[in-house]
Amino acid sequence: MNWIKKTLRFGEKIKTIIKARATKTEIANSDWTSCCKGPILKKDLEENLWVCPSCNKHHRISPRQRFDIIFGKNNYEVLKTPIPQDDPLNWNDAKPYKDRLKAARKKTGMDCGMMVVNSNIHTLNITAIASDFDFVGGSIGAAEGEAFLYGIQHAIENEQPFVVFTSGGGMRMMESLISLSQMTRTTLAINELKKNNLPYIVVLTDPTAGGITASYAMLGDLHLAEPGALIAFAGARVIQGTVREELPEGFQRSEYVEKTGFVDLIVERKDLREKIGSLLSILLKKNSAINSSENETSEDSRALTKAAS
C-alpha cells in the first residue's frame, strides 16, 4: 500500500507544479499584476514608470522600457552586437541549453541578455547597456560578454561615457568557465575605458547578484541604485548559515548597501535621467580639466628642457 500512496502523492505534486506554472503564464499574459495592495493594472503601473504608487516598489523592467524612460520613447539606436556560438559545451539538464536560449529569445525579442544603445541626455552623447532579467535570469554568458565589450569599444571610439544598468543573478552555469571568464574580460574592458578618461557609471537595479556584483557592477566611477534593489554576492540564507548570526534588517537592499559604502546614491527611477546627465557633465568637465593640466605640464617641461640646452 505504501507504494500506492507514494505514487498518488507524486501525482498530486505534479498537478500542483503544472497548476503553478499555468498560473504564472496567466499572470504574464494578463492586464493585471500584483503588488502591496493586491491586483494593479499594468497600464497604471506603466504610467508611473513601473513603480507602485502605494509602496514605491520599483518593478523589474526590460531594457527597452528602461531606455524609453531614460532617453525618451525610441530616442536611441540599438547597436547590433556579436553573437558567438550557442551552447559551446552541449549542456543538458532538465532541458537542453539551446532550448532555453530559444525560449528566452522568443520571450524577450533579444538575441542575448544585454542590449547596447547609442543615445543622448541633453547634449551629452552616451553609450549605455542594460540587462533583461527575463533572459535566463539576466545571467552572463559569452554573448553578454561580447555585448559588454562591444559597448565599451563603441564608447572609446566615439569618446562617450559608458552607463550600465545591472540586473541578473550572476554568471551562467550552462557555460561554466566560459561564463566565468566574462568577469575578467569586462574588468579589463572597463580599465581601457578609464585609461581614455571616459566616465563609467553603474546603475544597480533589482536584482544584482553573484559574479555581476563581483565584477563590472562594482567598478564604476559612481554607483547609483534604485530604491529597494537587491544587491548581493551570496544569498542571505547562505551568509546567515555561515556566520550563524541574525542579519540586520534590510540586509542586501540598496539602502543598507549605501550605508556600508558600496552605493553612492539611491535615485528614484523618475529622477535617473536628470541625475545621470548632471553627474556626467561634472565628470566630463573634471576629466577635461585634468587633460588640460597634463598638457600644460608637458609643455612646461619641454620649455624647461629647451632653455637648459
Side-chain angles (χ1 to χ4, degrees):
M1 290 295 293
N2 287 337
W3 68 270
I4 295 175
K5 289 180 180 178
K6 286 180 181 178
T7 303
L8 290 171
R9 286 196 200 109
F10 182 73
E12 289 300 318
K13 189 175 180 181
I14 292 295
K15 286 180 182 178
T16 303
I17 292 170
I18 292 171
K19 186 177 178 180
R21 287 181 179 175
T23 302
K24 286 181 180 179
T25 304
E26 287 169 5
I27 291 172
N29 296 330
S30 169
D31 292 333
W32 297 81
T33 188
S34 61
C35 200
C36 57
K37 293 186 176 180
I40 181 172
L41 274 169
K42 290 179 181 177
K43 182 182 177 182
D44 293 340
L45 200 61
E46 183 179 8
E47 287 175 358
N48 200 43
L49 307 183
W50 299 97
V51 177
C52 178
S54 300
C55 66
N56 201 42
K57 177 181 176 180
H58 284 53
H59 288 252
R60 296 171 188 170
I61 54 178
S62 70
R64 285 192 181 275
Q65 289 170 327
R66 188 168 296 282
F67 293 142
D68 284 345
I69 292 168
I70 300 297
F71 301 119
K73 187 76 172 178
N74 298 322
N75 187 35
Y76 49 86
E77 176 193 4
V78 178
L79 304 178
K80 183 72 174 175
T81 60
I83 300 296
Q85 175 191 348
D86 285 348
D87 194 14
L89 303 178
N90 294 316
W91 181 281
N92 275 284
D93 45 68
K95 64 179 179 179
Y97 178 37
K98 284 185 178 179
D99 290 350
R100 293 184 185 276
L101 289 174
K102 186 178 179 180
R105 286 168 179 157
K106 183 179 179 180
K107 184 177 182 179
T108 63
M110 294 167 57
D111 292 329
C112 74
M114 280 185 162
M115 180 180 287
V116 185
V117 300
N118 181 53
S119 190
N120 60 78
I121 294 178
H122 304 313
T123 59
L124 294 174
N125 293 322
I126 295 169
T127 304
I129 188 169
S131 296
D132 194 332
F133 191 79
D134 283 340
F135 198 106
V136 197
S139 56
I140 305 300
E144 288 72 25
E146 289 296 325
F148 194 95
L149 267 62
Y150 186 91
I152 291 278
Q153 188 62 39
H154 181 272
I156 292 172
E157 289 176 355
N158 293 277
E159 298 182 348
Q160 295 177 355
F162 191 67
V163 180
V164 57
F165 297 90
T166 67
S167 177
M171 301 298 112
R172 190 172 298 166
M173 68 174 185
M174 298 85 157
E175 295 189 26
S176 189
L177 290 176
I178 295 171
S179 173
L180 289 173
S181 69
Q182 307 311 315
M183 296 172 69
T184 307
R185 298 181 77 214
T186 53
T187 300
L188 292 172
I190 293 163
N191 287 342
E192 288 301 311
L193 185 77
K194 293 183 177 183
K195 282 179 185 177
N196 284 270
N197 289 322
L198 294 169
Y200 175 54
I201 289 184
V202 178
V203 182
L204 301 151
T205 77
D206 184 69
T208 298
I212 295 172
T213 309
S215 55
Y216 64 85
M218 286 295 164
L219 296 174
D221 296 312
L222 287 168
H223 297 106
L224 314 183
E226 290 187 333
L230 174 69
I231 304 167
F233 177 65
R237 283 183 296 179
V238 173
I239 294 171
Q240 187 164 335
T242 304
V243 301
R244 300 187 184 281
E245 297 283 346
E246 285 296 318
L247 299 175
E249 187 178 350
F251 183 69
Q252 295 183 331
R253 293 294 168 178
S254 53
E255 291 78 7
Y256 181 86
V257 180
E258 182 191 27
K259 289 178 183 177
T260 57
F262 289 95
V263 167
D264 298 302
L265 288 170
I266 295 175
V267 185
E268 299 268 344
R269 189 171 289 167
K270 62 183 174 59
D271 299 323
L272 271 174
R273 173 184 168 85
E274 293 303 319
K275 184 62 69 176
I276 291 170
S278 176
L279 291 171
L280 285 176
S281 296
I282 294 168
L283 288 172
L284 287 168
K285 284 178 183 176
K286 181 181 177 182
N287 288 346
S288 178
I290 291 170
N291 290 337
S292 298
S293 176
E294 287 174 351
N295 290 336
E296 288 170 8
T297 303
S298 179
E299 288 171 5
D300 288 346
S301 297
R302 286 196 293 270
L304 286 170
T305 302
K306 185 177 180 181
S309 62

